[in-house]
C-alpha cells in the first residue's frame, strides 16, 4: 500500500475517534441546558412572587391611606352630627355619616383581604425561595461532574487532534484537503475501499478506466456517484490475519463484478 494512502487511512481512523469524542461533548450541552432551565424556572418563580408582593403592598398602602382619610372625614361628620341642632342639618349629617360608615366598612374588609393575600404570598415566596435553594444545592454535584467530564473529554480531544495532525503530515496537501472537505460534508468517513468493483460507500459500479487507475496504478479517486474517495485495498491477506478497520474492503462482490463489466 502506498505510504500516503496508509497515512490517510490512519488519519481517518483518528477522525472517527475525534468525531466520537466531539459527539460525547455535544451530548453534554442538552444536559447542561436542562440544569440551567430548571434553575431558571425556580428563580423566575421567586422573582415573580416577589414582584407580585411588591405590587400588592403598594395597593395595600394606597388603600390604607385612603381609609385613614375617610376615617378622618367620618369623624368630622360625626362631630357635625353631634353639633347639628336643626332637624334638616341633622338629617343631612346623618346620611353622610351612614354613607361614610358603609364605605369605610367596605374598604376595611378589602384591606383585611389584602393583608390575608399578602400573608399567603409571603409564605409562597418563602416556599419558592426554599425550592430554588434546594435546586441550586441539588445541581452542585451534577454540574461538578459535568464540568469534570467535559474537561476530561476536551483534553482527550486536543490530544487526539495533536496526534491526528502528526499523521496528517504524511498526506499531501491537496489529497488531505479533498479528504477533509468530503469528511466534513458527510460528517463521517470519506475514504472507502472499493468493494469488488463497486464503490464501498454507495455500491455503484466503477467505470473500467477508473477501476484500472485504482487497481493498477493504486490511485485514490472520487466516486462519481456519491463523491467519496475510493482506493483499492491490497489483496485480502490469508484467513486469520488481522482484519483492517474498513469492513467494506474484504467483502467479495461477485454480482457487482458482472454488472460492472456490462457498463464498463
Ligand atoms: Zn460511491
Amino acid at each position: 500500500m502506498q505510504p500516503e494512502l496508509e497515512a490517510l487511512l490512519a488519519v481517518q481512523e483518528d477522525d472517527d475517534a475525534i468525531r466520537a469524542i466531539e459527539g460525547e461533548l455535544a451530548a453534554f450541552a442538552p444536559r447542561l441546558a436542562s440544569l440551567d432551565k430548571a434553575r431558571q424556572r425556580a428563580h423566575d418563580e421567586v422573582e415573580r412572587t416577589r414582584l407580585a408582593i411588591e405590587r400588592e403592598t403598594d395597593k395595600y398602602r394606597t388603600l390604607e391611606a385612603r381609609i385613614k382619610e375617610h376615617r378622618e372625614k367620618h369623624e368630622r361628620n360625626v362631630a357635625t352630627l353631634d353639633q347639628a341642632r336643626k332637624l334638616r342639618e341633622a338629617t343631612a349629617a346623618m346620611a353622610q355619616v351612614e354613607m361614610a360608615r358603609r364605605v369605610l366598612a367596605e374598604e376595611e374588609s378589602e384591606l383585611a383581604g389584602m393583608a390575608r393575600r399578602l400573608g399567603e404570598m409571603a409564605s409562597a415566596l418563602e416556599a419558592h425561595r426554599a425550592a430554588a435553594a434546594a435546586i441550586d444545592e441539588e445541581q452542585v454535584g451534577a454540574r461538578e461532574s459535568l464540568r469534570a467530564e467535559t474537561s476530561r473529554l476536551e483534553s482527550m480531544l486536543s490530544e487526539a487532534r495533536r496526534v491526528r495532525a502528526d499523521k496528517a503530515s504524511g498526506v499531501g496537501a491537496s489529497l488531505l484537503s479533498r479528504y477533509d472537505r468530503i469528511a466534513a460534508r458527510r460528517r463521517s468517513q470519506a475514504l472507502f475501499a472499493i468493494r469488488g468493483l463497486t464503490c464501498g460507500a454507495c455500491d455503484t459500479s466503477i467505470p473500467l478506466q477508473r477501476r484500472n487507475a485504482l487497481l493498477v496504478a493504486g490511485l485514490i479517486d472520487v466516486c462519481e456517484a456519491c463523491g467519496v474517495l475510493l482506493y483499492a485495498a491490497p489483496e485480502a491477506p490469508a484467513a486469520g490475519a488481522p482484519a483492517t478497520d474498513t469492513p467494506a474492503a474484504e467483502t467479495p462482490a461477485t454480482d457487482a463484478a458482472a454488472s460492472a463489466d456490462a457498463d464498463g
Side-chain angles (χ1 to χ4, degrees), residues 72-222:
E72 282 164 9
K73 198 168 155 201
H74 177 62
E75 275 155 15
R76 280 199 302 278
N77 288 341
V78 170
T80 308
L81 179 61
D82 286 345
Q83 288 160 13
R85 302 229 165 73
K86 290 182 185 159
L87 183 59
R88 204 191 313 156
E89 283 174 6
T91 310
M94 180 77 87
Q96 259 184 332
V97 163
E98 268 315 304
M99 185 147 90
R101 210 196 304 278
R102 268 202 309 278
V103 168
L104 260 175
E106 274 165 26
E107 286 173 344
E108 270 164 359
S109 113
E110 195 184 339
L111 190 69
M114 275 184 182
R116 205 166 45 241
R117 250 194 327 276
L118 274 169
E120 286 161 7
M121 287 161 95
S123 316
L125 179 60
E126 211 172 300
H128 291 323
R129 280 196 171 131
I135 282 179
D136 287 350
E137 177 72 26
E138 241 171 66
Q139 290 193 351
V140 169
R143 285 179 184 276
E144 188 46 53
S145 70
L146 265 182
R147 252 196 305 279
E149 191 61 9
T150 304
S151 80
R152 188 183 69 82
L153 286 169
E154 272 163 357
S155 50
M156 269 174 72
L157 189 59
S158 64
E159 174 60 13
R161 283 183 175 144
R162 195 189 59 72
V163 169
R164 191 263 192 204
D166 260 10
K167 293 182 187 171
S169 64
V171 182
S174 99
L175 176 59
L176 185 64
S177 89
R178 271 161 87 202
Y179 163 85
D180 281 340
R181 250 196 335 272
I182 297 165
R185 173 169 55 78
R186 292 172 51 89
R187 292 165 202 231
S188 159
Q189 198 182 335
L191 178 63
F192 287 78
I194 57 171
R195 190 189 296 147
L197 299 171
T198 65
C199 167
C202 72
D203 241 359
T204 305
S205 64
I206 302 155
L208 186 63
Q209 211 175 342
R210 289 174 160 258
R211 197 190 302 159
N212 285 340
L214 291 166
L215 286 165
V216 181
L219 295 181
I220 294 173
D221 201 1
V222 174

Side-chain angles (χ1 to χ4, degrees), residues 199-204 223-228 230:
C199 167
C202 72
D203 241 359
T204 305
C223 169
E224 287 179 314
C226 72
V228 304
L230 292 172

